[in-house]
Every structure is written in structure tokens, then in C-alpha cells.
Amino acid sequence: MGSLAVADRNATGWAAMDSSGVLSPYTYSLRETGPEDVFIKVLYCGICHTDIHQIKNHLGASKYPMVPGHEVVGEVKEVGAAVTRFKVGDLVGAGVLVGSCGECTACSADAEQYCDKKIWSYNDVYLDGTPTHGGFSTAMVVNHRFVVKVPTAIAAEKAAPLLCAGVTVFSPLRHLGLTSAGRHGGVLGLGGVGHLAVKLAKAMGHSVTVISSSSEKREEALSRLGADAFLLSTAAGAIAAAAGTLDYVIDTAPAVHPLEPLLGLLKVDGKLVLTGVVAEPLKFSAPALMLGRKAIAGSFIGSVEETQALLDFCAERGVEAAVEVVPVGEINRAVARLECNDVRYRFVVDVGAGKA
């Protein structure tokens, strides 16, 4: 603790200065590495649609200057005196949260993502009032309770999206008891979260049906990702023929869409899991649930414990995110392309090799 030079604590990030959506170099000072902290040199950071919402103030709560990025993989450069799980040189990850109260029911149950006092990795403030900044930066200082080890079996750049998109799928499957082999699952949407849903479900030994509004996704779902079947969501006949065949559907769609066709695909006791952020109300009729004892569940990212379990599972089963790595100097171009869904399937910024 305290061995780093003063200059090392001056981080350079790519920050949004206003709601224009443009990121520009921004230098700021990091706090001292406290007894429970880990100082991380950032190597890679994934780009998520949430970053766009925050950068452009779509949610109405953005504070500037803001350094986004919450899928962070980096190297430990310093650890606090009370930290025993990590050492200098470890490859680690940090995700959506960097703090919580540690005392509430959610925190006590390893579900700190539902803590009312959680601290976001950026666009938030620490308990001392200093702003949090994310992984589009050369370095971060994070409490060790919110840091995970990245197994060497996973390429660092391909591990980054697992810290948000990956655990967003893994957490509900695990919590709802849907990880055993032999299940038949559905995945609505084939973006950053959806492609990992397919990969994880296949690694669990599930038969997977991809559901999409675009017929162009058929080939990549079946050939590239190894899905077992494809359903065009607008093909009423095909949807009707598949009624009652799925144990669950992971719904990643971030826009308003009908739920009843998805509920119709479920078996008795089937689960529809909502992971896409939709601001407007979604509708369904009560009998669509009642006549089959079906359930609609919501899920938000995952806990630190679940994130570590996910990384270990992916290392064991050979699961990695499909990424396009971009130099940090091209971050604005990557954000613009992501806004147009021009990526298969996740942008990852090479922060460690880039210079602002």
C-alpha cells in the first residue's frame, strides 16, 4: 500500500463532457490505495449499450465529466494491507458495481446488485463524495470485494464482456435452477447479451432456440453460434408450431415487444426471464401465465460471487465472448457503430496499448 509513485495516480480516461456523445481525453487523480483496495492498470474494457445511455443522458441522471466503462479487465499493480485474495501481477476484472452497504438483506445474501446503496462503477460517488470513473481509463482503484480473478484460460479481451453481458445471463439461469443439462431454452435477441446466452446455455448442455425478428440472424445463430433451432418472431405459424417446447426464454430485447408469443413457447412451469431494459410497460394477459403455471422473472447483472463462478465456468468449458477489439483512439467510432448495432457481438477497447 502506498508504493506507487504520485504520477501513477494520475489516470487518463476518455470522458463525456456533455450529452453530445463525444468522448475526449481527460486526466484526473485516483485516490490512495486504501487497506481494502486494489489498484488496477486497465488493459481492456468492453462497450455496453448502457454506456451510450449514460454518455448521452438518455436516463436523465448523467453527471459530467464522466468516464464510462464497466467491463474492466486489468493487472493488479498494488493491493491494500488488508487484501489477501489478490497480489501484484494478478489478472482481474471489475464490473458494474464498486460498492454497496455490505449490511442489508441483499448484501448478506451475496446479492449486492440489489442493494439500495450500491455504488455504480461510474456516474456515481463514493462514500467520501468523490466521483466514480470507469474503465475507459488507464487505471482504477476498486474495493477488493468488487474485484474478481480472471482465469488464465480465458483471453483477457474476451473475458471483459463476461463481467456484464455474461453474468446478466448466468445469474438468472443459476438462481432459477435452470443450469442442469437436458433443458430446452430460448434466446430472444442475438446481440452482446444474446450471443453469450446461446454460448452459456450450450455449455450447460441445453438445446437452444434463437428467436429473432430478423431472418438474417438465422445463419449466424445456427452456424456461427451453434444454436439448435431458429424461430422468426414474425412467423406466426412457426411460433404456434413450437408452442409448449421451451423450459425458459432469456429475453434480451431492449424495446417494447409482445410477451404472449414468448409465454406460449413455454412448457408448464416455464420461465420468461427479462434482461433487456425497456422503459415502457410490457403487456400480457393473465391466462397466458395461469394456464401453464408460468412465470415472468426479472434479473439484473449478478453478484460478485456469481461473476467469479461464471468466469470459472467459462474457463472450464471454453466459453468466451465474440469480440471486436478496437484501439482506444477509435473509441468514438466504436460507440457510433454500436449505436447502429454494427458489431458482432461486443466491442472491447484496448486501453492498455493505447495512448490518449
Side-chain angles (χ1 to χ4, degrees):
M1 181 174 65
S3 62
L4 291 178
V6 174
D8 293 328
R9 298 193 181 278
N10 291 327
T12 298
W14 283 76
M17 299 298 182
D18 51 42
S19 61
S20 66
V22 177
L23 300 174
S24 55
Y26 171 67
T27 300
Y28 55 99
S29 296
L30 296 170
R31 72 175 187 270
E32 289 289 324
T33 306
E36 297 188 351
D37 289 333
V38 175
F39 186 102
I40 302 170
K41 175 188 175 182
V42 179
L43 301 176
Y44 297 99
C45 186
I47 308 178
C48 175
H49 267 100
T50 301
D51 297 322
I52 295 175
H53 294 319
Q54 294 285 12
I55 291 167
K56 294 196 169 185
N57 198 24
H58 290 164
L59 306 178
S62 297
K63 304 176 185 69
Y64 304 102
M66 174 205 305
V67 178
H70 58 257
E71 296 178 344
V72 184
V73 172
E75 181 185 352
V76 174
K77 288 297 184 180
E78 185 179 46
V79 297
V83 177
T84 59
R85 293 192 304 125
F86 305 103
K87 65 182 185 302
V88 172
D90 282 349
L91 187 67
V92 297
V96 180
L97 304 180
V98 294
S100 70
C101 78
E103 300 175 349
C104 67
T105 301
C107 288
S108 299
D110 282 329
E112 64 279 352
Q113 69 271 33
Y114 302 114
C115 173
D116 290 336
K117 297 181 180 179
K118 57 183 169 287
I119 301 174
W120 306 102
S121 56
Y122 68 88
N123 197 39
D124 205 347
V125 293
Y126 292 107
L127 295 178
D128 63 3
T130 58
T132 63
H133 289 302
F136 296 171
S137 172
T138 53
M140 294 176 69
V141 177
V142 182
N143 184 288
H144 75 104
R145 294 191 299 115
F146 294 87
V147 178
V148 292
K149 288 186 178 180
V150 177
T152 56
I154 307 176
E157 68 275 16
K158 295 181 178 181
L162 299 176
L163 302 169
C164 174
V167 77
T168 292
V169 174
F170 185 77
S171 177
L173 289 178
R174 193 178 187 224
H175 178 72
L176 296 171
L178 297 170
T179 58
S180 58
R183 295 191 179 272
H184 191 170
V187 176
L188 178 68
L190 206 57
V193 176
H195 95 284
L196 282 171
V198 175
K199 288 191 168 198
L200 287 169
K202 290 297 296 181
M204 291 174 183
H206 298 181
S207 175
V208 180
T209 296
V210 169
I211 309 156
S212 175
S213 60
S214 172
S215 59
E216 296 177 357
K217 297 292 182 74
R218 180 186 300 273
E219 185 64 22
E220 62 183 275
L222 300 176
S223 299
R224 182 171 180 178
L225 295 176
D228 300 278
F230 179 88
L231 282 175
L232 189 63
S233 60
T234 55
I239 295 292
T245 61
L246 303 181
D247 294 298
Y248 65 86
V249 172
I250 301 294
D251 182 345
T252 74
V256 173
H257 56 285
L259 296 186
E260 290 197 22
L262 301 175
L263 291 170
L265 293 171
L266 297 175
K267 300 176 182 178
V268 173
D269 290 327
K271 307 291 191 298
L272 172 59
V273 184
L274 303 180
T275 65
V277 179
V278 183
E280 295 83 8
L282 298 173
K283 297 180 179 180
F284 63 93
S285 64
L289 284 183
M290 296 163 58
L291 301 178
R293 202 165 56 192
K294 302 169 185 179
I296 298 175
S299 187
F300 173 64
I301 51 169
S303 68
V304 175
E305 186 275 331
E306 287 173 324
T307 305
Q308 188 65 67
L310 164 67
L311 290 170
D312 294 342
F313 174 87
C314 289
E316 178 186 339
R317 305 295 177 92
V319 177
E320 296 177 324
V323 304
E324 180 178 338
V325 179
V326 296
V328 70
E330 295 183 16
I331 192 168
N332 283 306
R333 181 169 174 265
V335 169
R337 285 180 55 196
L338 176 61
E339 201 164 14
C340 300
N341 293 315
D342 179 23
V343 60
R344 292 293 179 271
Y345 291 91
R346 202 71 154 186
F347 280 120
V348 172
V349 182
D350 186 350
V351 180
K355 295 182 180 179

